[in-house]
Amino acid sequence: MKMYLPVCLLVVSSIGFVSAKSTTEFSTYEDTYFLGTYADNINEDLYSDAGETELSKLDDFEIKYQISFSLPLFQFSNKSALMASYTQLSLWQIANNEASSPFRETNYKPQLFMMHQGEFLLFNSIEYGYRHQSNGRGNKISRSWERFYLLLESQGNYIDYGIESWVASGLSDNKDIEDYIGPYSGWIKINGVEASANIKLTHNFSTHRSGVEAGFTYYVNEVVGFYGQVWKGYGETLIDYNNDQTRIGVGIMLRPF
């Protein structure tokens, strides 16, 4: 018992709480990171069938990066605001000199929503609103959908978590996307002063298709940390909503603020 007590005290003292999303100021929203990645099943046939000749030969190595932020548009109180956010996720064939190092896929995701913060049983943050997501492409590789969503979260603690559900519309470019990306998701994150670990999951119980993302961050200062990420399943990006693949990446993560 005496040996375990100092260890327990050390663990408790290392716990740190990251900043939660803010209803009063500009802040990060989803994770912001920059990774070098390897994917095992890039769908080259998709681009060949669509006549995208420059993307008919793809490298397994890609840069994957995401930027995400939010800001209040109108504050009803310090804990309740009309919010806007923007998230962009890109896959860059940086080493594919034969194809002039193109961006293979970019997903644009603006949102307009209400956020309420307080104590709501198991949660301290509630969001509900409108989300658009598209890849800005045309013809056979155009992807887009609209969603009205509800998100319940517990943030700013040693263990953070959230659950989300949505209703989708505007599926003309990808009518079967809901067969691959279920209408709900969940996540959990363990925070510390020097490191954090998280896992996110979407699952369709009707079709038994899933997408799982796991990450680990070791913070080197108050701004950034080394970040490793693993993805497995469907829906990593819109272009791959119906393509099952595994991706492993390492790089840097911007610390939430």
Side-chain angles (χ1 to χ4, degrees), residues 27-42:
S27 66
T28 51
Y29 186 71
E30 298 184 29
D31 293 335
T32 294
Y33 55 79
F34 187 92
L35 302 173
T37 71
Y38 171 83
D40 71 338
N41 186 31
I42 293 181

Side-chain angles (χ1 to χ4, degrees), residues 5-124:
L5 182 58
V7 175
C8 293
L9 291 175
L10 178 62
V11 171
V12 171
S13 67
S14 69
I15 293 173
F17 302 149
V18 299
S19 300
K21 298 174 184 176
S22 176
T23 57
T24 61
E25 59 189 3
F26 179 88
S27 66
T28 51
Y29 186 71
E30 298 184 29
D31 293 335
T32 294
Y33 55 79
F34 187 92
L35 302 173
T37 71
Y38 171 83
D40 71 338
N41 186 31
I42 293 181
N43 191 0
E44 292 182 341
D45 293 340
L46 170 71
Y47 299 98
S48 298
D49 295 342
E52 297 284 332
T53 55
E54 70 169 3
L55 294 174
S56 59
K57 293 184 179 180
L58 298 173
D59 285 350
D60 295 329
F61 176 80
E62 294 182 304
I63 295 296
K64 177 182 179 181
Y65 70 85
Q66 178 171 278
I67 57 173
S68 186
F69 58 86
S70 66
L71 72 162
L73 298 178
F74 183 83
Q75 291 179 244
F76 296 92
S77 69
N78 287 339
K79 294 186 177 182
S80 183
L82 175 65
M83 304 284 297
S85 70
Y86 176 76
T87 302
Q88 180 176 315
L89 174 63
S90 293
L91 298 175
W92 181 13
Q93 290 266 306
I94 189 172
N96 192 345
N97 296 323
E98 185 176 343
S100 300
S101 304
F103 281 83
R104 178 169 73 88
E105 174 77 348
T106 296
N107 289 174
Y108 310 94
K109 187 168 65 175
Q111 297 184 170
L112 183 65
F113 58 95
M114 287 294 302
M115 179 186 287
H116 305 284
Q117 296 181 333
E119 296 300 326
F120 311 107
L121 296 178
L122 299 176
F123 307 95
N124 60 18

